[in-house]
Amino acid sequence: MKNVPLYLAGEFVDSQTSEWIDVTNPATNEVIAKAPCTTDAEMRKAIESAGEMFKTWKEVPVSERARVMLRYQALLKEHHDEIAEILAQETGKTFDDAKGDVWRGIEVVEHAANVASMMMGETVENVAREVDTHSWIQPLGVCAGITPFNFPAMIPLWMFPMAIACGNTFILKPSEQDPMTPMRLAELFEEAGAPKGVLQVVHGGKEQVDVLLTDPAIKAVSFVGSVPVGRYIYETGTRNMKRVQSFAGAKNHMVILPDADKQQVINALVGASVGAAGQRCMAISVAVFVGEAQQWIPELKEAMAKVRPGAWNDSGASYGPIISAKAKDRIESLIATGEAQGAKLLLDGRGCTVDGLPDGNWVGPTLFSGVTTEMDIYNEEIFGPVLSCVETDTLGDAIELVNKSPYGNGVSIFTSSGGAARRFQHEIDVGQVGVNIPIPVPLPFFSFTGWKGSFYGDQHAYGKQAVRFYTETKTVTSRWFSSEATSTEANFSIQLR
């Protein structure tokens, strides 16, 4: 048992709070740590420290800030498996899945090391006679990030390296369900040479989040989480005159045409639906079978029936437990509702057990067919290893179905037709599209571009859009008079007389 520390003003300190949150291992439900609900005084210290440090950090040359990120990514690689093991134990992810979580974060840090080229302004000479205009990209100030449980390495690393590389300081409020991974990231960031006070880490719940959303010293807030919380973050933050990017929920579809490779489709659906126990905002939760492709559902059932959950260090496990008993109960309730509303339950993951771990939050692979758009399992984000199959007659019907969804995080199509793929990617109203790729998460030099109810804000995460989000543009128009030019003009004037 350990108490998770705070990271304030460059020091790892024990909170003086009287309120603590249990951090549990979801495979056993044993308490493995306690996270503090940061006190008002500690929140104030974090904000003041970040504000004071911004005055000096913004003056550090961009090349020096980039070198901090280079050292940081080297340390993250060196400690990659260690971080993944911490992550696996507090989230329940399999070791391979946890390593992928860490690696995707490292890729963003590598991208942040290229920040100088992304902060270049623009210049036009002679916008008027002997008048020039140029723009500078400058940091905002103190920024904050509120991150979810499902990617405790990748998503914090989406945020604070990019913000800090741009010249800002940053306050991170990670999920209270798995705070130990973000704390290890903070330790390595300090070891990489980041000045004390550039990054602060606080813990807690809504009370601490509200401080970040309302304090005038915070200039921008990044969030990833559920739809209701995402809307609250966006509305509250913008109402308090902050720049906000809020990544919310999803209901991602995969459209399967009958000309696709059947085995590739089945393999992709199994991995994309139950991988990470379905606890990712880019998971495929709806399979749209077009025409004769509907005949593949029995083979999909056979493939899904072969996968099983297990402990993080079980090499035969396909995925881990659900993050909490409460989340497990919600998933099982939605499975029951789907059956009651008329969907055909082909695989039932309720009552799943894992040998030697009777108290874990286990849900087995679950498959529905005959799902309609009126059903709760179609409309709600289940966030579990549950896949709903929908049937349509044509590609046009499938596109119309997807476009009616209020969410627009990710979508994919599997086909061997270039024409069908082009039509799909052009007409679909979703921000991230995969063609024969089930989960189309872009690499960091592009941006994570959810649409509609999956995202509230203007600029997305990482890539060039993250630099725009964490910076402001200043435009300078100038005219200079040299003594030589003045003398020449005077002589010319005399000659004319």
Side-chain angles (χ1 to χ4, degrees):
M1 178 70 64
K2 63 176 290 187
N3 288 343
V4 180
L6 304 171
Y7 187 42
L8 302 179
E11 303 292 337
F12 292 92
V13 298
D14 292 331
S15 175
Q16 300 304 303
T17 187
S18 60
E19 298 180 58
W20 295 83
I21 301 169
D22 288 345
V23 179
T24 60
N25 178 342
T28 64
N29 273 311
E30 295 174 342
V31 178
I32 56 177
K34 288 184 177 291
C37 291
T38 310
T39 68
D40 288 344
E42 291 162 346
M43 291 295 296
R44 171 54 44 202
K45 182 175 182 179
I47 294 170
E48 290 178 352
S49 172
E52 191 63 28
M53 188 60 207
F54 174 67
K55 297 175 184 177
T56 55
W57 180 245
K58 69 177 181 178
E59 304 298 342
V60 172
V62 65
S63 56
E64 292 184 28
R65 302 199 300 262
R67 290 186 197 111
V68 171
M69 299 304 159
L70 286 171
R71 292 192 294 270
Y72 189 39
Q73 62 90 20
L75 282 172
L76 290 171
K77 289 178 180 177
E78 181 182 338
H79 294 271
H80 177 273
D81 286 6
E82 172 210 333
I83 301 168
E85 186 169 332
I86 296 169
L87 190 156
Q89 291 182 12
E90 63 178 347
T91 65
K93 286 188 177 185
T94 64
F95 193 42
D96 283 345
D97 197 9
K99 288 191 288 186
D101 187 334
V102 177
W103 184 255
R104 289 307 299 263
I106 290 173
E107 290 178 326
V108 180
V109 178
E110 290 177 338
H111 182 62
N114 295 309
V115 68
S117 61
M118 294 183 284
M119 293 190 70
M120 291 181 178
E122 299 173 316
T123 301
V124 175
E125 187 181 38
N126 284 332
V127 296
R129 193 173 301 279
E130 296 183 351
V131 176
D132 306 323
T133 299
H134 60 274
S135 64
W136 289 334
I137 309 300
Q138 296 187 332
L140 295 175
V142 181
C143 302
I146 304 155
T147 59
F149 77 85
N150 58 332
F151 286 93
M154 181 185 76
I155 294 179
L157 292 174
W158 273 12
M159 296 180 184
F160 74 80
M162 291 299 298
I164 291 172
C166 289
N168 302 286
T169 54
F170 201 88
I171 301 172
L172 175 66
K173 207 299 288 182
S175 171
E176 65 278 11
Q177 294 180 285
D178 45 16
M180 293 187 291
T181 299
M183 293 311 299
R184 187 63 182 127
L185 299 180
E187 290 171 353
L188 293 172
F189 193 56
E190 182 180 88
E191 190 177 334
K196 293 180 180 295
V198 166
L199 174 66
Q200 323 274 330
V201 184
V202 298
H203 304 288
K206 181 177 181 298
E207 182 180 345
Q208 287 71 31
V209 167
D210 282 343
V211 172
L212 299 176
L213 293 175
T214 58
D215 193 290
I218 307 293
K219 303 303 180 186
V221 177
S222 302
F223 169 81
V224 177
S226 67
V227 171
V229 179
R231 290 190 65 174
Y232 175 80
I233 295 288
Y234 183 74
E235 291 170 357
T236 307
T238 54
R239 188 166 60 247
N240 284 276
M241 307 305 293
K242 302 185 189 310
R243 187 176 293 186
V244 180
Q245 54 176 199
S246 182
F247 297 85
K251 198 70 180 178
N252 305 312
H253 297 65
M254 182 169 139
V255 175
I256 302 105
L257 298 188
D259 64 358
D261 184 290
K262 179 173 65 175
Q263 195 56 52
Q264 288 180 352
V265 166
I266 291 171
N267 293 343
L269 275 174
V270 173
S273 61
V274 306
Q279 297 176 119
R280 41 188 184 189
C281 65
M282 289 293 287
I284 295 296
S285 55
V286 180
V288 184
F289 289 91
V290 179
E292 295 178 359
Q294 300 168 24
Q295 300 171 12
W296 302 350
I297 294 176
E299 292 177 69
L300 171 63
K301 173 187 173 182
E302 291 178 12
M304 288 186 68
K306 295 176 182 177
V307 305
R308 62 173 180 83
W312 73 272
N313 54 358
D314 179 353
S315 60
S318 299
Y319 61 91
I322 302 303
I323 190 64
S324 68
K326 180 180 179 182
K328 174 194 170 185
D329 290 345
R330 178 182 175 275
I331 293 166
E332 292 189 338
S333 175
L334 281 165
I335 294 172
T337 300
E339 191 174 25
Q341 291 178 343
K344 186 175 181 180
L345 184 56
L346 303 179
L347 282 176
D348 188 352
R350 292 172 295 181
C352 178
T353 59
V354 171
D355 291 343
L357 296 167
D359 299 320
N361 307 317
W362 309 109
V363 176
T366 301
L367 180 66
F368 283 100
S369 66
V371 175
T372 67
T373 57
E374 294 79 26
M375 295 178 181
D376 290 352
I377 56 171
Y378 178 82
N379 289 299
E380 291 196 33
E381 184 177 28
I382 300 174
F383 227 59
V386 180
L387 179 63
S388 298
C389 295
V390 177
E391 297 85 34
T392 66
D393 293 329
T394 67
L395 173 59
D397 293 338
I399 292 172
E400 183 179 1
L401 176 83
V402 175
N403 285 348
K404 285 182 178 178
S405 171
Y407 303 110
N409 218 30
V411 70
S412 62
I413 184 171
F414 273 65
T415 180
S416 61
S417 168
R422 191 192 182 284
R423 177 189 175 188
F424 183 81
Q425 68 189 27
H426 177 70
E427 294 183 9
I428 209 72
D429 293 335
V430 176
Q432 296 169 111
V433 182
V435 176
N436 297 320
I437 293 175
I439 300 180
V441 178
L443 288 170
F445 31 84
F446 286 89
S447 293
F448 189 95
T449 51
W451 282 12
K452 297 192 290 189
S454 294
F455 177 71
Y456 307 106
D458 300 305
Q459 301 291 344
H460 293 87
Y462 54 79
K464 294 178 181 178
Q465 290 196 34
V467 173
R468 296 190 190 105
F469 178 76
Y470 290 122
T471 59
E472 198 70 270
T473 302
K474 177 183 289 183
T475 304
V476 180
T477 302
S478 59
R479 181 181 183 186
W480 289 96
F481 303 96
S482 68
S483 58
E484 181 179 343
T486 303
S487 175
T488 301
E489 290 176 4
N491 290 337
F492 183 67
S493 175
I494 292 170
Q495 290 173 5
L496 287 177
R497 291 193 186 114

